[in-house]
Amino acid sequence: MFTDFFFPDRCLNCNTIIAANVFVCEICISQIKFTTDSFESENIVKEKCKSLFPVENAFALMEFQKEGLSRELMHNLKYKGRENIGNLFAEWTIERLHFKEKPDLIITVPLHKRKQKKRGYNQLQLYADNISKHYAISYDKDIMRRNFHTKAQALKVFSKRVVTKNLFSLNKSISGKHVLLIDDVFTTGNTMSTMAWEILKNKNNKISVLVMANDEG
């Protein structure tokens, strides 16, 4: 394409010319701190979750580096319209994530309709679509609703981060399901916890967690 010649894709880290929708060159990928934990192992994300809600298993693709490449990728995914980074994260996840007990249903953290309209997409959509198809796990993107708009966690003072009651609600009942909750960055776990307890109102449900990155703060 004419535009590809004059405006080629470049690595988000070193600016080297790369193939379309790759985003990071092979050399710079080595700078990303991928986790080595398995889904069923005891790990830091699972420990964080256990302090907030009952959890079966948990997995984070990578560590969130505040000054590193993982932050740059996440920032481009969420705020610069590069939705296809979700496909790249899914590819990396599929290379590393293996289930002994496969969940029944995927639920992603929903955006408020006002925020999604402004952004134009939910940054978790392509990621979850790929995970759903590869592992043959049902994904219902409309089952969970965000009831009102809140400021982004990144803009809040840490001491003021609290779990907001009634932030989420289910559009239909879930019973007897092992639900895989997916989010981008796990920081305090407040958002994930609020969603989990909504699902766990039915005691026949179970929760596991998958996140793109874990922020150890």
Side-chain angles (χ1 to χ4, degrees), residues 115 149-156:
K115 180 178 283 189
H149 182 66
T150 58
K151 291 182 180 179
Q153 288 280 13
L155 301 178
K156 293 182 181 179

Side-chain angles (χ1 to χ4, degrees), residues 46-192:
K46 185 174 180 179
E47 287 302 312
K48 283 183 175 182
C49 291
K50 285 166 66 175
S51 69
L52 298 168
F53 57 89
V55 65
E56 300 298 313
N57 298 297
F59 180 84
L61 171 63
M62 57 191 170
E63 294 179 19
F64 185 78
Q65 304 156 279
K66 287 182 171 59
E67 302 299 329
L69 183 52
S70 60
R71 179 191 181 281
E72 186 67 22
L73 285 164
M74 198 68 67
H75 187 78
N76 273 266
L77 170 64
K78 295 178 69 173
Y79 306 117
K80 293 191 175 181
R82 294 187 169 180
E83 185 182 6
N84 283 341
I85 290 177
N87 289 328
L88 179 64
F89 284 167
E91 179 183 325
W92 290 344
T93 299
I94 289 166
E95 291 173 357
R96 295 165 173 81
L97 177 61
H98 306 284
F99 295 115
K100 292 180 181 178
E101 179 189 344
K102 190 171 69 172
D104 306 305
L105 175 66
I106 289 172
I107 297 178
T108 51
V109 177
L111 294 177
H112 187 270
K113 59 183 179 182
R114 183 168 61 177
K115 180 178 283 189
Q116 182 152 337
K117 183 178 180 180
K118 181 179 179 180
R119 185 175 294 174
Y121 59 93
N122 182 323
Q123 72 273 11
L124 299 173
Q125 181 79 58
L126 291 181
Y127 181 77
D129 279 340
N130 280 275
I131 298 298
S132 170
K133 291 173 184 175
H134 180 81
Y135 296 102
I137 303 172
S138 177
Y139 170 37
D140 191 333
K141 62 184 178 63
D142 299 316
I143 198 168
M144 185 73 73
R145 178 176 68 251
R146 185 182 289 261
N147 295 319
F148 47 89
H149 182 66
T150 58
K151 291 182 180 179
Q153 288 280 13
L155 301 178
K156 293 182 181 179
V157 177
F158 179 81
S159 62
K160 293 184 179 179
R161 287 181 185 168
V162 294
V163 177
T164 306
K165 292 183 178 180
N166 303 317
L167 177 58
F168 299 104
S169 59
L170 289 168
N171 290 318
K172 57 185 176 183
S173 62
I174 304 173
S175 181
K177 298 294 185 181
H178 181 180
V179 177
L180 182 65
L181 289 182
I182 293 181
D183 199 2
D184 45 31
V185 181
F186 193 107
T187 307
T188 64
N190 287 344
T191 298
M192 192 71 76

